[in-house]
Amino acid sequence: MQALDEMGFTDPRPIQLKGLPPGLEGRDVLGLAQTGTGKTAAFVLPILQRLLVDRRPGLRVLVVAPTRELASQVHEEFERLAQFTPLKAAVIFGGVPATKQIRALRAKPDIVVACPGRLLDLANQRAIRLDGVEVLVLDEADHMFDMGFLPDVRRILKLLPARRQNLLFSATMAREIRKLADDVLHKPAVIELANAKPAETIDHFLVPLAEVDKPGVLQELVDGEEFRSAIVFTRTKHRAKRLAKKLDALGHAAIALQGNMSQAQRERALKGFKDGTYNIMVATDIAARGLDIEGVSHVINYDVPMTPDAYTHRIGRTGRSERSGLAYTFVTAADSKQIKDIERRLGKPIEKTRMEGVELPDVGHEMARGRGDSQGGGRGGGRRGGGGARRGGARRGSSRRGGGRPMAARPNAFPSASRDTAAEPPRKPASPSKPFGLGLDSSGRSSRNEGPGPHGPGPGAPSARRRRRSRRRR
């Protein structure tokens, strides 16, 4: 009770009111509710009560989560709620050395929160034994039972005792996925609270626009009076990284969160966003599930999510704990199918709002030090900083540090739809089958050294490197 008072818990939420009694009775539970409604406390509290009433040494509770961020957050919730008890919890996930995690397991925690991959690795190394687990929790169960996680989940189930309590909580769960859950659960208490729809505290808006207008409209939103902080969702890791850098160059406190970052970088990004060091986080769907961050006023879908479930999870980062929130989705002509599916899930059309966007100052096309991004520039992408498309016969990027034009002289280049480089018309039409960002022409040959002008060889000419090698051979 002391921990609940310190954390500000007063009245239980609906999912907690319905989920706590069967959880305390030891029954299996399938809890379906919108994200941000208190699902984590709905399974943490009965687990702690069970462990305190019947104290025994050893690992007794296993919580499996789909992402490192969610695993860390659930572990923190256990730590906060159990801070005045002798119970211990440990968290294990990949992306970091296992040494510290193995040391934590040797301390014999009562609870382990884990991601599937690292859990199986440590089990194969016999660093963890699961034959004494009494309670299994699958958090974000729909994601756990996704086909990508199913083999790992089934391997974990084989390591657990047959008699145990199973608790599954999620925001969404399709019918076919629920059949898989039926294999795990035994006569479960099913708690379903409008699980398919986002919280009613969120106002939804569609912003019809052209791809080139996205940067200016984004700037208009983050400059608005209602803006406090935002998570901006993009479809790719590369675009998230570049967009965060461009926002930072325009004077915003922005940070990226995407899968190519190390665990330490992810943790710094999340910590900085939570404590207000940054008020804009540009992220892929890695941030869409389960993360509980206070005070997010806006969720902005810079790219439309591919499924209604992804939309539900994304916008669930705002409007949490019965607070109000705003969800804006940038929509181009190519996004009509996804929008129809999302509106069908919501049961109503989403209000459209027109925005002109603001005129942006020029910011650097490449990253700092005059280097190109990892996709390269225009047609000559692929190599860091090298082989960009030509503009007036001069390269936009350079393979050397400090190459290219000064940043102030380069055009504004927020990520565009077709590729994550500045939107500009190509000098000749590209083949419809041209691979994304590989810098190949319609015949499959590299276009890195193509282009007219006095500063480079014409099509089919050997590269400078090959000419140098040829001279050395002679």
Side-chain angles (χ1 to χ4, degrees):
M1 290 300 294
Q2 186 177 351
L4 290 174
D5 291 340
E6 286 203 1
M7 294 176 67
F9 281 94
T10 53
D11 300 321
R13 309 271 176 77
I15 186 69
Q16 295 162 1
L17 276 173
K18 295 189 176 183
L20 289 174
L24 290 168
E25 292 169 8
R27 294 183 60 191
D28 285 3
V29 173
L30 174 60
L32 303 173
Q34 307 104 322
T35 186
T37 53
K39 296 191 301 295
T40 305
F43 66 77
V44 170
L45 290 172
I47 285 173
L48 295 180
Q49 179 68 14
R50 174 178 181 146
L51 297 182
L52 289 170
V53 168
D54 181 19
R55 289 286 292 134
R56 274 180 282 169
L59 174 58
R60 299 174 62 189
V61 177
L62 174 65
V63 182
V64 183
T67 67
R68 307 174 200 174
E69 288 74 22
L70 183 56
S72 295
Q73 185 169 285
V74 172
H75 175 250
E76 289 170 6
E77 191 85 349
F78 271 109
E79 294 270 285
R80 287 196 297 264
L81 287 170
Q83 60 184 303
F84 300 108
T85 74
L87 300 176
K88 295 182 293 184
V91 60
I92 57 177
F93 46 72
V96 295
T99 309
K100 185 177 179 181
Q101 297 172 1
I102 292 173
R103 192 160 53 243
L105 293 173
R106 287 173 180 165
K108 298 182 179 179
D110 305 276
I111 304 150
V112 166
V113 185
C115 290
R118 178 56 61 88
L119 176 62
L120 287 171
D121 288 344
L122 295 182
N124 290 335
Q125 297 173 31
R126 300 185 179 181
I128 182 172
R129 293 186 59 176
L130 302 177
D131 53 358
V133 170
E134 301 171 16
V135 182
L136 170 68
V137 180
L138 296 181
D139 199 11
E140 298 291 348
D142 54 341
H143 204 25
M144 279 289 116
F145 284 127
D146 192 299
M147 293 307 294
F149 284 95
L150 184 57
D152 284 348
V153 171
R154 293 204 181 280
R155 291 188 194 101
I156 292 168
L157 293 176
K158 291 178 180 178
L159 301 176
L160 300 173
R163 295 190 61 182
R164 62 180 187 272
Q165 182 183 16
N166 301 289
L167 307 174
L168 277 72
F169 288 85
S170 180
T172 58
M173 184 169 288
R175 292 188 187 92
E176 60 272 16
I177 304 301
R178 193 176 303 199
K179 291 178 183 177
L180 296 174
D182 289 342
D183 295 338
V184 177
L185 300 171
H186 177 68
K187 296 181 180 179
V190 180
I191 302 160
E192 190 165 0
L193 303 176
N195 67 291
K197 298 179 181 179
E200 295 180 358
T201 56
I202 303 172
D203 292 327
H204 309 248
F205 299 96
L206 297 179
V207 185
L209 41 57
E211 188 69 32
V212 295
D213 295 329
K214 286 185 177 182
V217 173
L218 177 60
Q219 181 76 12
E220 182 178 342
L221 284 173
V222 300
D223 284 343
E225 292 182 1
E226 294 178 302
F227 176 81
R228 296 189 303 276
S229 66
I231 301 179
V232 181
F233 283 101
T234 67
R235 195 167 293 161
T236 67
K237 295 177 281 190
H238 180 64
R239 174 176 264 194
K241 178 179 177 180
R242 293 197 62 234
L243 182 55
K245 285 184 175 289
K246 304 313 172 189
L247 287 168
D248 189 68
L250 288 167
H252 298 285
I255 190 70
L257 181 67
Q258 41 86 14
N260 283 345
M261 298 166 64
S262 69
Q263 184 59 32
Q265 290 172 326
R266 291 187 191 192
E267 290 175 357
R268 282 196 297 269
L270 275 174
K271 182 178 183 298
F273 188 63
K274 287 181 177 181
D275 65 22
T277 302
Y278 307 102
N279 66 350
I280 301 175
M281 184 165 70
V282 187
T284 57
D285 282 331
I286 194 174
R289 289 178 177 266
L291 295 185
D292 188 7
I293 301 172
E294 295 289 333
V296 177
S297 62
H298 290 56
V299 165
I300 301 170
N301 290 315
Y302 197 85
D303 296 320
V304 174
M306 297 303 292
T307 66
D309 285 353
Y311 181 84
T312 298
H313 284 291
R314 281 186 181 189
I315 70 168
R317 301 314 101 206
T318 187
R320 299 180 72 83
S321 304
E322 301 179 356
R323 296 185 177 92
S324 61
L326 298 170
Y328 289 89
T329 301
F330 293 176
V331 183
T332 67
D335 301 319
S336 58
K337 183 184 183 301
Q338 292 98 309
I339 295 302
K340 286 179 182 178
D341 292 342
I342 291 168
E343 290 180 329
R344 192 179 298 116
R345 170 67 60 85
L346 295 176
K348 60 182 180 181
I350 304 175
E351 179 182 342
K352 293 182 175 64
T353 181
R354 293 282 178 181
M355 293 184 178
E356 296 297 326
V358 301
E359 186 175 347
L360 297 176
D362 287 346
V363 295
H365 176 69
E366 284 85 9
M367 297 179 185
R369 302 175 183 168
R371 299 181 67 173
D373 55 53
S374 59
Q375 294 278 351
R379 295 170 53 200
R383 222 180 260 185
R384 183 179 293 272
R390 297 173 184 274
R391 190 177 173 96
R395 290 178 186 260
R396 286 168 53 206
S398 171
S399 60
R400 293 184 181 180
R401 190 169 294 184
R405 290 181 289 167
M407 289 187 70
R410 294 176 184 146
N412 174 51
F414 278 80
S416 62
S418 60
R419 64 185 80 181
D420 291 326
T421 55
E424 64 177 4
R427 290 186 299 99
K428 70 175 184 177
S431 166
S433 61
K434 178 179 178 179
F436 176 90
L438 293 180
L440 304 180
D441 62 16
S442 57
S443 65
R445 294 193 302 267
S446 171
S447 61
R448 187 181 308 280
N449 292 307
E450 294 187 8
H455 302 288
S463 67
R465 182 179 295 179
R466 288 182 179 177
R467 291 196 301 271
R468 286 196 298 270
R469 287 177 178 172
S470 178
R471 283 196 296 268
R472 282 197 294 270
R473 290 193 195 104
R474 292 177 194 151

